[in-house]
Amino acid sequence: MNYVTFGGVTVGLCILGYQLMTWWPGRKQLMKDPLKYASRLLPFLASWCYGCLTTLGVAGLIGTASSAVLGLSNWLGDVALIWGVGGQGGQSASRETFVPLSGPGLGLVLILTAVFIAAVAKAGDSGVLKRGAWCGICLGTSAGVAGFAAVPLAQAANVVAGHVYEAV
């Protein structure tokens, strides 16, 4: 399992804050057509879910890449906390328990990886999908609300993948 530090959570929250501020259309526009503007968050949310899934017991190349991103984020966030604001880094901000992905759930992550790569290639260089996955990797195992969202996400992935593989 991957462990996230307070620095890694800080990096994830910075990415989330950046994304929300660049998305924010203003209160007047949002009240005028909420569905239109809320739907613009869906690519980020979908890639956040993918990033979160890659941290939940995934091994191999995908798990190694996810662990590397999380390790780098932990280090960057810890350095920023220590040198930027005089705080302490390196403390674990992970939950004690998590729901690992089953065999079919891991198969679904592999399928989602292929879809994610195709989506990033098709989207060009907007960065929304990459930021979403990075944010999901940083916050997927955190002890906060985002980390607890990973539990139903993993359960849903296991159930959906189980039905897909059963139907095939």
Side-chain angles (χ1 to χ4, degrees):
M1 178 178 164
N2 301 317
Y3 293 98
V4 66
T5 65
F6 288 118
V9 171
T10 302
V11 168
L13 291 174
C14 286
I15 295 167
L16 180 62
Y18 175 85
Q19 185 62 36
L20 289 176
M21 288 311 300
T22 58
W23 161 83
W24 182 250
R27 183 183 179 277
K28 188 175 184 180
Q29 291 293 332
L30 188 60
M31 296 302 285
K32 187 176 181 180
D33 194 359
L35 190 59
K36 173 185 171 185
Y37 291 105
S39 68
R40 292 184 181 171
L41 281 177
L42 289 178
F44 180 82
L45 180 61
S47 62
W48 182 90
C49 291
Y50 167 73
C52 185
L53 285 173
T54 64
T55 64
L56 299 175
V58 177
L61 291 175
I62 296 168
T64 301
S66 178
S67 292
V69 169
L70 182 59
L72 179 63
S73 299
N74 286 339
W75 182 80
L76 286 172
D78 288 344
V79 166
L81 285 174
I82 293 167
W83 292 97
V85 293
Q88 293 181 352
Q91 300 170 357
S92 177
S94 296
R95 314 187 239 85
E96 294 296 323
T97 60
F98 71 103
V99 177
L101 294 167
S102 64
L106 292 171
L108 181 64
V109 170
L110 184 60
I111 293 166
L112 290 175
T113 299
V115 171
F116 180 76
I117 291 169
V120 167
K122 185 174 182 174
D125 61 3
S126 69
V128 171
L129 297 174
K130 295 173 189 173
R131 282 191 302 271
W134 187 8
C135 184
I137 289 169
C138 290
L139 299 179
T141 59
S142 69
V145 174
F148 287 114
V151 172
L153 182 62
Q155 290 172 340
N158 287 337
V159 169
V160 168
H163 288 303
V164 168
Y165 281 99
E166 190 175 283
V168 176

